[in-house]
Amino acid sequence: MNMAFKQETLRDDYTFSNSPESVRRFPFPFDEDEYMYSVNIEPHDAGPPGSVFEHAIDIDEHYLTECEERRIVLEDDHGRYVALPHMMDAQWDMVELVMTNLAKDYPESFQLTQDGDNWHWVNQPLGIDQKFVFGDTSTLPMEPFEFISRQVQGDWVIMDQRDEDLFADLGIVTGQADWSMAFDAGMSFKEWHAPVPHAPEMGIFDRALKYLLHLQYGSPVRRTNWRMCVNPRLDTSSEKWHLWGPDNVSVTAENVAEKVYLRVELQALFRLPRSNAIAFSIRTYMVSLEDLAKYPRWIKRLYRVLTSLHPDLAEYKGLNSYLPYVLNWLKPQDDGEVLPKGTQPE
Amino acid sequence: MEKGYSIKSKPIYGTLVWQDHAMHHVVIAEGEGGKALLKLFQQKLPREPLSVLYLAADPQAEKYATTVQKIINEPVTIKDSQAELLNALKATLDSCYMGTQFYVAGTEGFIWKVAAVLRDAGVDDKNVFKELCGSLGRRLYCVHCKTTNENVHHNIHVCTGCGRHLIVREHFSRLMGAYMGFMIDAEVPGEIPAAEEIYP
Ligand code: HEM
């Protein structure tokens, strides 16, 4: 794949854009014309070369952009990083997970040398060259999880497993869809999911939790979730709602195609070996409606999903202010063709 | 409010009942929680060692304190500020051992402040029983400026930290002992419905 890293902005002047390859590999989430919540979990197996599933942790052309964005967010509010004290083993598990995967899958950009506990990490795109002793926090410039999570795309929540439940006890969340890690810190699986409509009655969280409690080391799983957003603003956190809320009412019939983005979270779950915690990565991909329209199959399907979406989901996902513009723009592009099941672009 | 509606992260509080298997009972109450205390002692006066800590900051609470003091022949720790009560609790915890059961009665904000002290001391929340008494006022955490607003009685509240009009999100954090508040008129500034007192 194209490993030229771009330097774009995800705020203010929004210079973010997707190359044609980046649009083509977008993890379009709808395999049918209707959408409702489900326990859509599948093995996180390697996908075709170039796809977002090729590697366990996907690094793409926005790598530098997103690392810089994370730095900006943390500088403004370090509370986006939460680390409860009993999670130190999990912090080191994360160092291992990220470093070993990136070095194995992107050797031209990342190199790791391990000599017992003496590790040497080189991150070429970010210009980091760090020797440290694995397990000894004093040999790193900051806590191990903060150190490594500043060098990887996507938000991460690391869940402690105890009392037949999962607890959000460690996390770095700087590009989320309207929730707050600082507020959800320490919550159990069902507590942090409390605001989600309908899913509890459908038994989704009971089944998902039961499944995850038995997640095995070496057999990661994944699912997708989706939202939309106005402007390619990664940081649509609850914390910053006062900043991005006004954008929701800036959509017009003229600008809708370039301003509104479909925003997909590729969520992967990894059991961690030392701590027995579970790492949950939330990797967000954003594509504008304009770019999505390069693939008629996607645009027709999106139209059908959005017209049939349960009103409570539309409200929860925060679409209501601009959904009418989106539907008006999509409508003429759907000729009613029958679309076979599947998420592929063509 | 819609039928079937519930805040799924909101704890459901019970009625305090003595736990028979306890080796030691610690009862912590404030204000109207004094009534829950009296109800407990109407159930029985337990044989096991007992510590009672009570926050009496108003005349009604002082009355409860006097009554409680009369019916149990054991010293009751009575304080008139929350900070002092929590300090007294910390001191009590030093002499607690395995098998201690904790009983907390008061407003939601009080309950979770006590719970935080107990958690920091390593007490398992399973051993902490809670009864909600008195005001239904909520603690509201402003997700924008991180101020926690005490005793919020209206569904829309002006944040004491940043002045934004906050609406209560249906989400409760036990660690913070607070509901999440977020700005109600972020999309269209000034579009603010009339506030109603729904947590009297
Ligand atoms: C694997 C099984 C899981 C399922 C089936 C599931 C399902 C869902 C669903 C349906 C939503 C609503 C999303 C929307 O409409 O945009 C949601 C939201 C959310 N999920 Fe999950 N989820 C799972 C795992 C997790 C895990 C492991 C975490 C770890 C932190 C997590 C954190 C969240 C958060 C923070 C929200 C936002 C809640 C809010 O509005 O405050 N989920 N989840």
Side-chain angles (χ1 to χ4, degrees), chain B residues 154-176:
Chain B
H154 292 78
N155 58 345
I156 296 170
H157 177 80
V158 179
C159 178
T160 53
C162 64
R164 295 189 178 95
H165 286 77
L166 304 179
I167 178 138
V168 181
R169 186 163 201 230
E170 303 312 317
H171 207 14
F172 181 83
S173 157
R174 293 168 196 234
L175 275 197
M176 293 190 177

mmCIF file with all atom_site columns, all heavy atoms in Angstrom, chain B residues 154-176:
data_model
loop_
_atom_site.group_PDB
_atom_site.id
_atom_site.type_symbol
_atom_site.label_atom_id
_atom_site.label_alt_id
_atom_site.label_comp_id
_atom_site.label_asym_id
_atom_site.label_entity_id
_atom_site.label_seq_id
_atom_site.pdbx_PDB_ins_code
_atom_site.Cartn_x
_atom_site.Cartn_y
_atom_site.Cartn_z
_atom_site.occupancy
_atom_site.B_iso_or_equiv
_atom_site.pdbx_formal_charge
_atom_site.auth_seq_id
_atom_site.auth_comp_id
_atom_site.auth_asym_id
_atom_site.auth_atom_id
_atom_site.pdbx_PDB_model_num
ATOM 1   N N   . HIS B 1 154 ? -32.795 20.966 39.076 1.00 0.00 ? 154 HIS B N   1
ATOM 2   C CA  . HIS B 1 154 ? -33.496 21.202 37.807 1.00 0.00 ? 154 HIS B CA  1
ATOM 3   C C   . HIS B 1 154 ? -32.870 20.397 36.678 1.00 0.00 ? 154 HIS B C   1
ATOM 4   O O   . HIS B 1 154 ? -31.685 20.088 36.715 1.00 0.00 ? 154 HIS B O   1
ATOM 5   C CB  . HIS B 1 154 ? -33.465 22.697 37.456 1.00 0.00 ? 154 HIS B CB  1
ATOM 6   C CG  . HIS B 1 154 ? -34.285 23.524 38.392 1.00 0.00 ? 154 HIS B CG  1
ATOM 7   N ND1 . HIS B 1 154 ? -33.831 23.866 39.653 1.00 0.00 ? 154 HIS B ND1 1
ATOM 8   C CD2 . HIS B 1 154 ? -35.526 24.048 38.263 1.00 0.00 ? 154 HIS B CD2 1
ATOM 9   C CE1 . HIS B 1 154 ? -34.770 24.572 40.264 1.00 0.00 ? 154 HIS B CE1 1
ATOM 10  N NE2 . HIS B 1 154 ? -35.805 24.702 39.443 1.00 0.00 ? 154 HIS B NE2 1
ATOM 11  N N   . ASN B 1 155 ? -33.687 20.102 35.668 1.00 0.00 ? 155 ASN B N   1
ATOM 12  C CA  . ASN B 1 155 ? -33.171 19.304 34.548 1.00 0.00 ? 155 ASN B CA  1
ATOM 13  C C   . ASN B 1 155 ? -32.211 20.093 33.665 1.00 0.00 ? 155 ASN B C   1
ATOM 14  O O   . ASN B 1 155 ? -31.447 19.516 32.901 1.00 0.00 ? 155 ASN B O   1
ATOM 15  C CB  . ASN B 1 155 ? -34.323 18.713 33.725 1.00 0.00 ? 155 ASN B CB  1
ATOM 16  C CG  . ASN B 1 155 ? -35.248 19.772 33.178 1.00 0.00 ? 155 ASN B CG  1
ATOM 17  O OD1 . ASN B 1 155 ? -35.217 20.927 33.610 1.00 0.00 ? 155 ASN B OD1 1
ATOM 18  N ND2 . ASN B 1 155 ? -36.060 19.405 32.217 1.00 0.00 ? 155 ASN B ND2 1
ATOM 19  N N   . ILE B 1 156 ? -32.264 21.410 33.775 1.00 0.00 ? 156 ILE B N   1
ATOM 20  C CA  . ILE B 1 156 ? -31.274 22.238 33.079 1.00 0.00 ? 156 ILE B CA  1
ATOM 21  C C   . ILE B 1 156 ? -30.613 23.116 34.131 1.00 0.00 ? 156 ILE B C   1
ATOM 22  O O   . ILE B 1 156 ? -31.287 23.728 34.959 1.00 0.00 ? 156 ILE B O   1
ATOM 23  C CB  . ILE B 1 156 ? -31.929 23.100 31.992 1.00 0.00 ? 156 ILE B CB  1
ATOM 24  C CG1 . ILE B 1 156 ? -32.528 22.169 30.925 1.00 0.00 ? 156 ILE B CG1 1
ATOM 25  C CG2 . ILE B 1 156 ? -30.911 24.057 31.369 1.00 0.00 ? 156 ILE B CG2 1
ATOM 26  C CD1 . ILE B 1 156 ? -33.396 22.866 29.926 1.00 0.00 ? 156 ILE B CD1 1
ATOM 27  N N   . HIS B 1 157 ? -29.296 23.139 34.114 1.00 0.00 ? 157 HIS B N   1
ATOM 28  C CA  . HIS B 1 157 ? -28.577 23.757 35.224 1.00 0.00 ? 157 HIS B CA  1
ATOM 29  C C   . HIS B 1 157 ? -27.419 24.593 34.675 1.00 0.00 ? 157 HIS B C   1
ATOM 30  O O   . HIS B 1 157 ? -26.684 24.143 33.797 1.00 0.00 ? 157 HIS B O   1
ATOM 31  C CB  . HIS B 1 157 ? -28.039 22.635 36.129 1.00 0.00 ? 157 HIS B CB  1
ATOM 32  C CG  . HIS B 1 157 ? -27.218 23.135 37.272 1.00 0.00 ? 157 HIS B CG  1
ATOM 33  N ND1 . HIS B 1 157 ? -27.780 23.632 38.419 1.00 0.00 ? 157 HIS B ND1 1
ATOM 34  C CD2 . HIS B 1 157 ? -25.884 23.220 37.440 1.00 0.00 ? 157 HIS B CD2 1
ATOM 35  C CE1 . HIS B 1 157 ? -26.827 24.002 39.246 1.00 0.00 ? 157 HIS B CE1 1
ATOM 36  N NE2 . HIS B 1 157 ? -25.652 23.768 38.678 1.00 0.00 ? 157 HIS B NE2 1
ATOM 37  N N   . VAL B 1 158 ? -27.269 25.791 35.197 1.00 0.00 ? 158 VAL B N   1
ATOM 38  C CA  . VAL B 1 158 ? -26.150 26.639 34.765 1.00 0.00 ? 158 VAL B CA  1
ATOM 39  C C   . VAL B 1 158 ? -24.905 26.212 35.542 1.00 0.00 ? 158 VAL B C   1
ATOM 40  O O   . VAL B 1 158 ? -24.869 26.243 36.767 1.00 0.00 ? 158 VAL B O   1
ATOM 41  C CB  . VAL B 1 158 ? -26.455 28.128 35.022 1.00 0.00 ? 158 VAL B CB  1
ATOM 42  C CG1 . VAL B 1 158 ? -25.267 28.986 34.592 1.00 0.00 ? 158 VAL B CG1 1
ATOM 43  C CG2 . VAL B 1 158 ? -27.709 28.538 34.258 1.00 0.00 ? 158 VAL B CG2 1
ATOM 44  N N   . CYS B 1 159 ? -23.891 25.786 34.825 1.00 0.00 ? 159 CYS B N   1
ATOM 45  C CA  . CYS B 1 159 ? -22.681 25.266 35.458 1.00 0.00 ? 159 CYS B CA  1
ATOM 46  C C   . CYS B 1 159 ? -21.990 26.356 36.271 1.00 0.00 ? 159 CYS B C   1
ATOM 47  O O   . CYS B 1 159 ? -21.737 27.452 35.761 1.00 0.00 ? 159 CYS B O   1
ATOM 48  C CB  . CYS B 1 159 ? -21.729 24.712 34.394 1.00 0.00 ? 159 CYS B CB  1
ATOM 49  S SG  . CYS B 1 159 ? -20.184 24.108 35.102 1.00 0.00 ? 159 CYS B SG  1
ATOM 50  N N   . THR B 1 160 ? -21.646 26.018 37.514 1.00 0.00 ? 160 THR B N   1
ATOM 51  C CA  . THR B 1 160 ? -20.987 27.019 38.353 1.00 0.00 ? 160 THR B CA  1
ATOM 52  C C   . THR B 1 160 ? -19.544 27.246 37.877 1.00 0.00 ? 160 THR B C   1
ATOM 53  O O   . THR B 1 160 ? -18.930 28.249 38.222 1.00 0.00 ? 160 THR B O   1
ATOM 54  C CB  . THR B 1 160 ? -20.942 26.570 39.828 1.00 0.00 ? 160 THR B CB  1
ATOM 55  O OG1 . THR B 1 160 ? -20.355 25.269 39.874 1.00 0.00 ? 160 THR B OG1 1
ATOM 56  C CG2 . THR B 1 160 ? -22.326 26.521 40.430 1.00 0.00 ? 160 THR B CG2 1
ATOM 57  N N   . GLY B 1 161 ? -19.020 26.322 37.078 1.00 0.00 ? 161 GLY B N   1
ATOM 58  C CA  . GLY B 1 161 ? -17.648 26.465 36.595 1.00 0.00 ? 161 GLY B CA  1
ATOM 59  C C   . GLY B 1 161 ? -17.542 27.312 35.344 1.00 0.00 ? 161 GLY B C   1
ATOM 60  O O   . GLY B 1 161 ? -16.724 28.232 35.268 1.00 0.00 ? 161 GLY B O   1
ATOM 61  N N   . CYS B 1 162 ? -18.377 27.021 34.335 1.00 0.00 ? 162 CYS B N   1
ATOM 62  C CA  . CYS B 1 162 ? -18.184 27.677 33.035 1.00 0.00 ? 162 CYS B CA  1
ATOM 63  C C   . CYS B 1 162 ? -19.411 28.462 32.577 1.00 0.00 ? 162 CYS B C   1
ATOM 64  O O   . CYS B 1 162 ? -19.362 29.101 31.516 1.00 0.00 ? 162 CYS B O   1
ATOM 65  C CB  . CYS B 1 162 ? -17.809 26.639 31.971 1.00 0.00 ? 162 CYS B CB  1
ATOM 66  S SG  . CYS B 1 162 ? -19.091 25.417 31.647 1.00 0.00 ? 162 CYS B SG  1
ATOM 67  N N   . GLY B 1 163 ? -20.501 28.402 33.338 1.00 0.00 ? 163 GLY B N   1
ATOM 68  C CA  . GLY B 1 163 ? -21.671 29.201 32.992 1.00 0.00 ? 163 GLY B CA  1
ATOM 69  C C   . GLY B 1 163 ? -22.518 28.631 31.864 1.00 0.00 ? 163 GLY B C   1
ATOM 70  O O   . GLY B 1 163 ? -23.528 29.224 31.489 1.00 0.00 ? 163 GLY B O   1
ATOM 71  N N   . ARG B 1 164 ? -22.118 27.461 31.305 1.00 0.00 ? 164 ARG B N   1
ATOM 72  C CA  . ARG B 1 164 ? -22.943 26.876 30.235 1.00 0.00 ? 164 ARG B CA  1
ATOM 73  C C   . ARG B 1 164 ? -24.220 26.272 30.828 1.00 0.00 ? 164 ARG B C   1
ATOM 74  O O   . ARG B 1 164 ? -24.223 25.822 31.976 1.00 0.00 ? 164 ARG B O   1
ATOM 75  C CB  . ARG B 1 164 ? -22.165 25.793 29.496 1.00 0.00 ? 164 ARG B CB  1
ATOM 76  C CG  . ARG B 1 164 ? -20.962 26.335 28.745 1.00 0.00 ? 164 ARG B CG  1
ATOM 77  C CD  . ARG B 1 164 ? -20.353 25.258 27.833 1.00 0.00 ? 164 ARG B CD  1
ATOM 78  N NE  . ARG B 1 164 ? -19.240 25.842 27.102 1.00 0.00 ? 164 ARG B NE  1
ATOM 79  C CZ  . ARG B 1 164 ? -17.952 25.757 27.489 1.00 0.00 ? 164 ARG B CZ  1
ATOM 80  N NH1 . ARG B 1 164 ? -17.620 25.077 28.568 1.00 0.00 ? 164 ARG B NH1 1
ATOM 81  N NH2 . ARG B 1 164 ? -17.008 26.345 26.788 1.00 0.00 ? 164 ARG B NH2 1
ATOM 82  N N   . HIS B 1 165 ? -25.276 26.260 30.019 1.00 0.00 ? 165 HIS B N   1
ATOM 83  C CA  . HIS B 1 165 ? -26.501 25.572 30.430 1.00 0.00 ? 165 HIS B CA  1
ATOM 84  C C   . HIS B 1 165 ? -26.325 24.088 30.165 1.00 0.00 ? 165 HIS B C   1
ATOM 85  O O   . HIS B 1 165 ? -26.186 23.669 29.021 1.00 0.00 ? 165 HIS B O   1
ATOM 86  C CB  . HIS B 1 165 ? -27.705 26.104 29.652 1.00 0.00 ? 165 HIS B CB  1
ATOM 87  C CG  . HIS B 1 165 ? -28.142 27.457 30.100 1.00 0.00 ? 165 HIS B CG  1
ATOM 88  N ND1 . HIS B 1 165 ? -27.472 28.600 29.753 1.00 0.00 ? 165 HIS B ND1 1
ATOM 89  C CD2 . HIS B 1 165 ? -29.171 27.851 30.909 1.00 0.00 ? 165 HIS B CD2 1
ATOM 90  C CE1 . HIS B 1 165 ? -28.073 29.645 30.313 1.00 0.00 ? 165 HIS B CE1 1
ATOM 91  N NE2 . HIS B 1 165 ? -29.098 29.216 31.023 1.00 0.00 ? 165 HIS B NE2 1
ATOM 92  N N   . LEU B 1 166 ? -26.370 23.304 31.220 1.00 0.00 ? 166 LEU B N   1
ATOM 93  C CA  . LEU B 1 166 ? -26.130 21.879 31.082 1.00 0.00 ? 166 LEU B CA  1
ATOM 94  C C   . LEU B 1 166 ? -27.440 21.113 31.157 1.00 0.00 ? 166 LEU B C   1
ATOM 95  O O   . LEU B 1 166 ? -28.319 21.449 31.939 1.00 0.00 ? 166 LEU B O   1
ATOM 96  C CB  . LEU B 1 166 ? -25.220 21.374 32.209 1.00 0.00 ? 166 LEU B CB  1
ATOM 97  C CG  . LEU B 1 166 ? -23.875 22.067 32.379 1.00 0.00 ? 166 LEU B CG  1
ATOM 98  C CD1 . LEU B 1 166 ? -23.135 21.450 33.568 1.00 0.00 ? 166 LEU B CD1 1
ATOM 99  C CD2 . LEU B 1 166 ? -23.038 21.931 31.103 1.00 0.00 ? 166 LEU B CD2 1
ATOM 100 N N   . ILE B 1 167 ? -27.525 20.070 30.345 1.00 0.00 ? 167 ILE B N   1
ATOM 101 C CA  . ILE B 1 167 ? -28.636 19.139 30.489 1.00 0.00 ? 167 ILE B CA  1
ATOM 102 C C   . ILE B 1 167 ? -28.052 17.838 31.015 1.00 0.00 ? 167 ILE B C   1
ATOM 103 O O   . ILE B 1 167 ? -26.907 17.497 30.737 1.00 0.00 ? 167 ILE B O   1
ATOM 104 C CB  . ILE B 1 167 ? -29.403 18.961 29.161 1.00 0.00 ? 167 ILE B CB  1
ATOM 105 C CG1 . ILE B 1 167 ? -30.536 17.951 29.336 1.00 0.00 ? 167 ILE B CG1 1
ATOM 106 C CG2 . ILE B 1 167 ? -28.501 18.497 28.034 1.00 0.00 ? 167 ILE B CG2 1
ATOM 107 C CD1 . ILE B 1 167 ? -31.811 18.375 28.650 1.00 0.00 ? 167 ILE B CD1 1
ATOM 108 N N   . VAL B 1 168 ? -28.862 17.137 31.808 1.00 0.00 ? 168 VAL B N   1
ATOM 109 C CA  . VAL B 1 168 ? -28.370 15.905 32.424 1.00 0.00 ? 168 VAL B CA  1
ATOM 110 C C   . VAL B 1 168 ? -28.410 14.780 31.396 1.00 0.00 ? 168 VAL B C   1
ATOM 111 O O   . VAL B 1 168 ? -29.458 14.481 30.838 1.00 0.00 ? 168 VAL B O   1
ATOM 112 C CB  . VAL B 1 168 ? -29.249 15.530 33.632 1.00 0.00 ? 168 VAL B CB  1
ATOM 113 C CG1 . VAL B 1 168 ? -28.728 14.266 34.291 1.00 0.00 ? 168 VAL B CG1 1
ATOM 114 C CG2 . VAL B 1 168 ? -29.291 16.671 34.630 1.00 0.00 ? 168 VAL B CG2 1
ATOM 115 N N   . ARG B 1 169 ? -27.253 14.196 31.096 1.00 0.00 ? 169 ARG B N   1
ATOM 116 C CA  . ARG B 1 169 ? -27.233 13.017 30.226 1.00 0.00 ? 169 ARG B CA  1
ATOM 117 C C   . ARG B 1 169 ? -27.609 11.806 31.075 1.00 0.00 ? 169 ARG B C   1
ATOM 118 O O   . ARG B 1 169 ? -27.325 11.766 32.271 1.00 0.00 ? 169 ARG B O   1
ATOM 119 C CB  . ARG B 1 169 ? -25.826 12.818 29.651 1.00 0.00 ? 169 ARG B CB  1
ATOM 120 C CG  . ARG B 1 169 ? -25.769 11.703 28.618 1.00 0.00 ? 169 ARG B CG  1
ATOM 121 C CD  . ARG B 1 169 ? -24.504 11.764 27.761 1.00 0.00 ? 169 ARG B CD  1
ATOM 122 N NE  . ARG B 1 169 ? -24.744 11.042 26.526 1.00 0.00 ? 169 ARG B NE  1
ATOM 123 C CZ  . ARG B 1 169 ? -23.934 10.105 26.045 1.00 0.00 ? 169 ARG B CZ  1
ATOM 124 N NH1 . ARG B 1 169 ? -22.825 9.799  26.663 1.00 0.00 ? 169 ARG B NH1 1
ATOM 125 N NH2 . ARG B 1 169 ? -24.240 9.493  24.928 1.00 0.00 ? 169 ARG B NH2 1
ATOM 126 N N   . GLU B 1 170 ? -28.240 10.839 30.461 1.00 0.00 ? 170 GLU B N   1
ATOM 127 C CA  . GLU B 1 170 ? -28.732 9.689  31.227 1.00 0.00 ? 170 GLU B CA  1
ATOM 128 C C   . GLU B 1 170 ? -27.591 8.740  31.514 1.00 0.00 ? 170 GLU B C   1
ATOM 129 O O   . GLU B 1 170 ? -27.529 7.629  30.993 1.00 0.00 ? 170 GLU B O   1
ATOM 130 C CB  . GLU B 1 170 ? -29.858 8.992  30.464 1.00 0.00 ? 170 GLU B CB  1
ATOM 131 C CG  . GLU B 1 170 ? -31.007 9.919  30.133 1.00 0.00 ? 170 GLU B CG  1
ATOM 132 C CD  . GLU B 1 170 ? -31.469 10.736 31.328 1.00 0.00 ? 170 GLU B CD  1
ATOM 133 O OE1 . GLU B 1 170 ? -31.573 10.179 32.425 1.00 0.00 ? 170 GLU B OE1 1
ATOM 134 O OE2 . GLU B 1 170 ? -31.689 11.944 31.165 1.00 0.00 ? 170 GLU B OE2 1
ATOM 135 N N   . HIS B 1 171 ? -26.667 9.204  32.332 1.00 0.00 ? 171 HIS B N   1
ATOM 136 C CA  . HIS B 1 171 ? -25.448 8.434  32.532 1.00 0.00 ? 171 HIS B CA  1
ATOM 137 C C   . HIS B 1 171 ? -24.870 8.806  33.889 1.00 0.00 ? 171 HIS B C   1
ATOM 138 O O   . HIS B 1 171 ? -24.705 9.986  34.189 1.00 0.00 ? 171 HIS B O   1
ATOM 139 C CB  . HIS B 1 171 ? -24.480 8.798  31.405 1.00 0.00 ? 171 HIS B CB  1
ATOM 140 C CG  . HIS B 1 171 ? -23.507 7.716  31.074 1.00 0.00 ? 171 HIS B CG  1
ATOM 141 N ND1 . HIS B 1 171 ? -23.644 6.411  31.497 1.00 0.00 ? 171 HIS B ND1 1
ATOM 142 C CD2 . HIS B 1 171 ? -22.368 7.736  30.334 1.00 0.00 ? 171 HIS B CD2 1
ATOM 143 C CE1 . HIS B 1 171 ? -22.625 5.701  31.045 1.00 0.00 ? 171 HIS B CE1 1
ATOM 144 N NE2 . HIS B 1 171 ? -21.851 6.473  30.330 1.00 0.00 ? 171 HIS B NE2 1
ATOM 145 N N   . PHE B 1 172 ? -24.570 7.798  34.697 1.00 0.00 ? 172 PHE B N   1
ATOM 146 C CA  . PHE B 1 172 ? -24.098 8.028  36.063 1.00 0.00 ? 172 PHE B CA  1
ATOM 147 C C   . PHE B 1 172 ? -22.765 7.320  36.275 1.00 0.00 ? 172 PHE B C   1
ATOM 148 O O   . PHE B 1 172 ? -22.613 6.152  35.915 1.00 0.00 ? 172 PHE B O   1
ATOM 149 C CB  . PHE B 1 172 ? -25.136 7.483  37.056 1.00 0.00 ? 172 PHE B CB  1
ATOM 150 C CG  . PHE B 1 172 ? -24.741 7.703  38.493 1.00 0.00 ? 172 PHE B CG  1
ATOM 151 C CD1 . PHE B 1 172 ? -24.981 8.918  39.112 1.00 0.00 ? 172 PHE B CD1 1
ATOM 152 C CD2 . PHE B 1 172 ? -24.111 6.699  39.223 1.00 0.00 ? 172 PHE B CD2 1
ATOM 153 C CE1 . PHE B 1 172 ? -24.609 9.123  40.434 1.00 0.00 ? 172 PHE B CE1 1
ATOM 154 C CE2 . PHE B 1 172 ? -23.732 6.897  40.547 1.00 0.00 ? 172 PHE B CE2 1
ATOM 155 C CZ  . PHE B 1 172 ? -23.990 8.114  41.155 1.00 0.00 ? 172 PHE B CZ  1
ATOM 156 N N   . SER B 1 173 ? -21.809 8.020  36.860 1.00 0.00 ? 173 SER B N   1
ATOM 157 C CA  . SER B 1 173 ? -20.512 7.413  37.168 1.00 0.00 ? 173 SER B CA  1
ATOM 158 C C   . SER B 1 173 ? -20.383 7.209  38.674 1.00 0.00 ? 173 SER B C   1
ATOM 159 O O   . SER B 1 173 ? -20.505 8.154  39.441 1.00 0.00 ? 173 SER B O   1
ATOM 160 C CB  . SER B 1 173 ? -19.377 8.319  36.692 1.00 0.00 ? 173 SER B CB  1
ATOM 161 O OG  . SER B 1 173 ? -18.188 8.027  37.426 1.00 0.00 ? 173 SER B OG  1
ATOM 162 N N   . ARG B 1 174 ? -20.145 5.958  39.072 1.00 0.00 ? 174 ARG B N   1
ATOM 163 C CA  . ARG B 1 174 ? -19.969 5.684  40.501 1.00 0.00 ? 174 ARG B CA  1
ATOM 164 C C   . ARG B 1 174 ? -18.651 6.255  41.003 1.00 0.00 ? 174 ARG B C   1
ATOM 165 O O   . ARG B 1 174 ? -18.561 6.684  42.144 1.00 0.00 ? 174 ARG B O   1
ATOM 166 C CB  . ARG B 1 174 ? -19.999 4.178  40.755 1.00 0.00 ? 174 ARG B CB  1
ATOM 167 C CG  . ARG B 1 174 ? -21.351 3.586  40.473 1.00 0.00 ? 174 ARG B CG  1
ATOM 168 C CD  . ARG B 1 174 ? -21.327 2.072  40.427 1.00 0.00 ? 174 ARG B CD  1
ATOM 169 N NE  . ARG B 1 174 ? -22.543 1.628  39.778 1.00 0.00 ? 174 ARG B NE  1
ATOM 170 C CZ  . ARG B 1 174 ? -23.394 0.750  40.302 1.00 0.00 ? 174 ARG B CZ  1
ATOM 171 N NH1 . ARG B 1 174 ? -23.146 0.184  41.460 1.00 0.00 ? 174 ARG B NH1 1
ATOM 172 N NH2 . ARG B 1 174 ? -24.491 0.416  39.653 1.00 0.00 ? 174 ARG B NH2 1
ATOM 173 N N   . LEU B 1 175 ? -17.630 6.225  40.150 1.00 0.00 ? 175 LEU B N   1
ATOM 174 C CA  . LEU B 1 175 ? -16.339 6.783  40.587 1.00 0.00 ? 175 LEU B CA  1
ATOM 175 C C   . LEU B 1 175 ? -16.485 8.262  40.913 1.00 0.00 ? 175 LEU B C   1
ATOM 176 O O   . LEU B 1 175 ? -15.929 8.758  41.878 1.00 0.00 ? 175 LEU B O   1
ATOM 177 C CB  . LEU B 1 175 ? -15.278 6.632  39.492 1.00 0.00 ? 175 LEU B CB  1
ATOM 178 C CG  . LEU B 1 175 ? -14.492 5.334  39.389 1.00 0.00 ? 175 LEU B CG  1
ATOM 179 C CD1 . LEU B 1 175 ? -13.246 5.541  38.541 1.00 0.00 ? 175 LEU B CD1 1
ATOM 180 C CD2 . LEU B 1 175 ? -14.100 4.783  40.745 1.00 0.00 ? 175 LEU B CD2 1
ATOM 181 N N   . MET B 1 176 ? -17.242 8.968  40.093 1.00 0.00 ? 176 MET B N   1
ATOM 182 C CA  . MET B 1 176 ? -17.420 10.413 40.319 1.00 0.00 ? 176 MET B CA  1
ATOM 183 C C   . MET B 1 176 ? -18.601 10.688 41.222 1.00 0.00 ? 176 MET B C   1
ATOM 184 O O   . MET B 1 176 ? -18.734 11.789 41.744 1.00 0.00 ? 176 MET B O   1
ATOM 185 C CB  . MET B 1 176 ? -17.666 11.125 38.992 1.00 0.00 ? 176 MET B CB  1
ATOM 186 C CG  . MET B 1 176 ? -16.469 11.103 38.089 1.00 0.00 ? 176 MET B CG  1
ATOM 187 S SD  . MET B 1 176 ? -16.773 12.217 36.713 1.00 0.00 ? 176 MET B SD  1
ATOM 188 C CE  . MET B 1 176 ? -15.206 12.078 35.871 1.00 0.00 ? 176 MET B CE  1
#
